[in-house]
Amino acid sequence: MALSHAILTFLLEGSCSGYDLAKQFDGSVGFFWKASHQQIYRELAKIEASGWASSTLVPQVGKPDKKLYEITESGRQVLIEWMERPSKMAPTRDELLVKLFAGHLVPRAIIFRDLELHRQRHRANLDTYRDIERQHFTHPEALSETVKFQYAALLQGIYVETSWLEWCDRVERLLAEQPHQSQ
């Protein structure tokens, strides 16, 4: 996936400024697709140059004019064509898993410390996702078609974080079963 696809997805909901887009990005897609505000602004310029979005300048008093972006029919078509292609599976690149592979080299307390740090981070992520679920998705059966798809993405985040927490617990139990032995 290119950042442009994520931005075009946001523009489906209506026109917005680069600033508003970056803030919305941080609070939703940003949980699973990282991009800095600077990257978003650069990509918006490319999207507009490609004809996938257009912009309108809105005058503001005492501030620079605000530029509002809107998806074009060409941008909508690019998004549809991208969605019709099968999604690629993201490669797993996880430092903790590499450390576990060679975990026998260090005292278990070091591995347990790392597991606890991950547990805390994943617990915080899960709490954030559950808060979003409580705020926006309390009655899934009553959600509009559009919002059901957004909720599906959130559910995946909830399942991933729950799985991470269960995995941390299981690994800790596994490693606590026998004393550390060097290989």
Side-chain angles (χ1 to χ4, degrees):
M1 176 175 102
L3 178 56
S4 58
H5 297 114
I7 291 171
L8 289 171
T9 300
F10 270 107
L11 292 177
L12 284 172
E13 294 183 22
S15 61
C16 63
S17 69
Y19 175 78
D20 292 334
L21 183 69
K23 283 183 65 172
Q24 289 175 358
F25 199 93
D26 287 344
S28 60
V29 175
F31 288 117
F32 49 87
W33 189 268
K34 300 294 180 202
S36 70
H37 290 206
Q38 188 177 34
Q39 288 173 305
I40 290 170
Y41 281 107
R42 267 196 316 265
E43 198 62 33
L44 270 171
K46 291 177 189 174
I47 288 170
E48 186 175 22
S50 298
W52 302 344
S54 59
S55 66
T56 306
L57 284 178
V58 177
Q60 300 189 108
V61 178
K63 299 180 192 175
D65 293 344
K66 182 190 284 192
K67 197 173 192 180
L68 293 180
Y69 294 89
E70 189 172 338
I71 192 169
T72 62
E73 191 52 44
S74 173
R76 184 180 294 272
Q77 191 57 44
V78 163
L79 193 54
I80 290 168
E81 290 168 8
W82 168 73
M83 290 182 68
E84 288 174 342
R85 292 192 303 264
S87 299
K88 296 175 185 169
M89 214 169 140
T92 301
R93 291 177 45 170
D94 192 303
E95 186 176 333
L96 177 60
L97 296 180
V98 176
K99 286 182 176 183
L100 279 174
F101 212 78
H104 63 279
L105 297 174
V106 296
R108 290 203 177 163
I110 291 172
I111 299 298
F112 289 151
R113 181 198 65 213
D114 231 1
L115 281 170
E116 183 55 31
L117 287 172
H118 278 264
R119 182 182 286 111
Q120 290 170 11
R121 291 175 191 145
H122 288 286
R123 168 58 56 202
N125 287 346
L126 180 59
D127 290 346
T128 298
Y129 296 161
R130 290 286 189 199
D131 287 344
I132 293 169
E133 183 180 40
R134 279 189 291 277
Q135 291 172 16
H136 302 286
F137 305 105
T138 52
H139 301 288
E141 67 284 350
L143 298 174
S144 71
E145 180 86 359
T146 300
V147 177
K148 281 182 181 178
F149 284 101
Q150 294 169 354
Y151 184 42
L154 177 66
L155 284 174
Q156 196 273 347
I158 290 170
Y159 286 115
V160 165
E161 298 305 340
T162 301
S163 175
W164 257 100
L165 293 169
E166 290 171 3
W167 176 83
C168 285
D169 291 343
R170 186 166 180 185
V171 168
E172 199 167 76
R173 284 192 309 271
L174 173 72
L175 296 177
E177 288 177 0
Q178 55 184 332
H180 174 73
Q181 298 173 3
S182 282
Q183 300 274 334

